[in-house]
Amino acid sequence: MKHRRIPRRKAAVAGGAVVALVAAAVTFQSANASDSTEQHALKSLTAPAAGTLALSLTEDLGADGAGAYYDADAKALVVNVVSEDAAQTVREAGGKARIVENTLAELTGARQTLADKARIPGTSWATDPVTNKLVVTADRTVEGAELTKLREVVEGLGAKAELKRTAGEFKPFVAGGDAIHSGGGRCSLGFNVVKDGEPHFITAGHCGQSGSEWSDSAGGAAIGTMVDSQFPGNDFALVKYNGDTAHPSEVNLYNGSAQAIAKAGDATVGMQVQRSGSTTQVHDGEVTALDATVNYGNGDIVEGLIQTTVCAEPGDSGGSLSAGDTAIGLTSGGSGDCSSGGETFFQPVTEALSTFGAEIG
């Protein structure tokens, strides 16, 4: 049963800023990329500020831009380009320019090839600006003829793609901030929001269907009704609170305190983030890719996700991903657990808020 979670004492909310960037503490080595060496003053930036600069440069560079990411150690924005003129534009803006081989158009074409020729359950793919490649990941369920087919398609893409394996199994984390319950299923509350002046909260779409009632305890009285749920394709849902249930704009840190959430933002590759969920509580990690596609099987394919190194387990679904006081994402699914690690995917909060016409609060 695809259901999400609902919080008891405090509604979970999180924050962050999203832009297409990848991995912190990275080395600038790549078989198909080279650093620009001309001396220019680099701007010292926070991850959110780097994301804002990256969005601006994406518009300025057009087809000559090929993605960007945040180097947390240097506190700098690294921008991939395919021409020296574009590199100069990046330097003048205070970023670090890196001339690479693959254009965004070529990598987008590679994504389409995967979608057309290798739509295999248990796979995911996302553009990695650090390697300037499309990284395709197959979980442990992909084997035999399907694995052979996947390898052939990826190899056919040449230097534009690479194939990796993960020991776990990609699946939605059904079964966190605070726990929410519906019909025997448990998920986690993501963030408290306001729509049309009324209190609501958002969680994962795979947690339940429109019309389902949610409580803050197993078998407890309903505190809200799910008024919209989108899954697959997207993975977010909106629940309207009943009565006078408390709905603070904060995330439960499970140590007796809470993180206040003031706004929503986009993720940036390399951004340090924190997840709160009702099964595994609070864990940290970093954003490794944006616009990821995951095939959970049974026709459940979700696109446009944030990929991270933060662990999660069943029951954490719908829980908050934040960066300081900024809401960034809602827990969707992934592989592994909080003992072995794995890849975890999150629905961007900004897209959910825009779709629902809601705001953090």
Side-chain angles (χ1 to χ4, degrees):
M1 180 177 185
K2 297 174 180 177
H3 290 92
R4 316 316 183 230
R5 36 271 176 230
I6 299 176
R8 174 183 291 197
R9 31 170 225 100
K10 291 185 172 118
V13 182
V18 178
V19 181
L21 312 140
V22 176
V26 296
T27 58
F28 300 117
Q29 296 179 345
S30 175
N32 62 349
S34 61
D35 291 336
S36 299
T37 57
E38 185 175 343
Q39 295 300 311
H40 285 267
L42 286 176
K43 286 185 178 179
S44 179
L45 302 168
T46 63
T52 300
L53 177 58
L55 286 175
S56 176
L57 283 171
T58 295
E59 296 179 359
D60 293 341
L61 297 173
D64 284 340
Y69 58 93
Y70 181 61
D71 176 3
D73 287 344
K75 292 184 171 55
L77 175 69
V78 183
V79 183
N80 295 336
V81 295
V82 294
S83 72
E84 182 54 38
D85 285 346
Q88 183 64 21
T89 298
V90 172
R91 298 184 197 112
E92 290 174 353
K96 181 180 179 66
R98 199 172 68 134
I99 297 179
V100 297
E101 176 182 351
N102 298 317
T103 66
L104 278 184
E106 290 172 328
L107 295 177
T108 298
R111 294 174 68 100
Q112 189 59 51
T113 297
L114 261 294
D116 293 342
K117 297 183 178 180
R119 194 168 282 252
I120 298 170
T123 60
S124 72
W125 56 85
T127 301
D128 179 0
V130 176
T131 62
N132 186 228
K133 291 183 178 182
L134 182 68
V135 177
V136 183
T137 304
D139 72 15
R140 63 179 176 80
T141 68
V142 182
E143 52 189 3
E146 288 188 331
L147 181 57
T148 298
K149 177 182 179 180
L150 183 62
R151 283 175 172 158
E152 290 175 349
V153 173
V154 173
E155 288 173 359
L157 293 171
K160 293 189 288 293
E162 63 176 307
L163 178 62
K164 294 184 176 181
R165 299 300 305 268
T166 183
E169 177 181 351
F170 289 139
K171 55 188 176 182
F173 290 126
V174 181
D178 295 323
I180 53 177
H181 302 258
S182 178
R186 174 171 61 85
C187 279
S188 297
L189 185 145
F191 301 93
N192 282 321
V193 301
V194 175
K195 174 180 170 60
D196 299 329
E198 299 291 335
H200 295 66
F201 68 82
I202 52 177
T203 186
H206 71 264
C207 287
Q209 299 177 342
S210 296
S212 58
E213 293 189 328
W214 292 83
S215 67
D216 59 6
S217 61
I223 64 168
T225 301
M226 191 168 283
V227 295
D228 196 348
S229 177
Q230 300 193 21
F231 178 83
N234 294 315
D235 195 1
F236 48 72
L238 180 69
V239 176
K240 183 177 182 179
Y241 278 113
N242 300 334
D244 58 356
T245 303
H247 50 276
S249 186
E250 58 187 31
V251 172
N252 189 354
L253 298 180
Y254 287 92
N255 61 1
S257 67
Q259 168 65 59
I261 300 299
K263 58 185 179 294
D266 292 325
T268 297
V269 173
M271 173 184 281
Q272 297 298 305
V273 287
Q274 183 176 72
R275 178 193 57 73
S276 178
S278 61
T279 298
T280 59
Q281 301 184 359
V282 178
H283 287 272
D284 300 324
E286 113 183 359
V287 175
T288 57
L290 303 178
D291 196 22
T293 297
V294 184
N295 189 332
Y296 290 126
N298 300 314
D300 293 339
I301 300 172
V302 185
E303 301 175 333
L305 298 176
I306 303 165
Q307 184 170 336
T308 80
T309 61
V310 187
C311 72
E313 296 181 9
D316 288 326
S317 281
S320 63
L321 182 74
S322 59
D325 67 353
T326 304
I328 298 296
L330 303 169
T331 307
S332 174
S335 69
D337 53 37
C338 287
S339 296
S340 61
E343 298 81 16
T344 307
F345 301 94
F346 297 82
Q347 169 69 53
V349 162
T350 50
E351 181 183 3
L353 294 177
S354 176
T355 299
F356 294 141
E359 59 185 15
I360 293 296

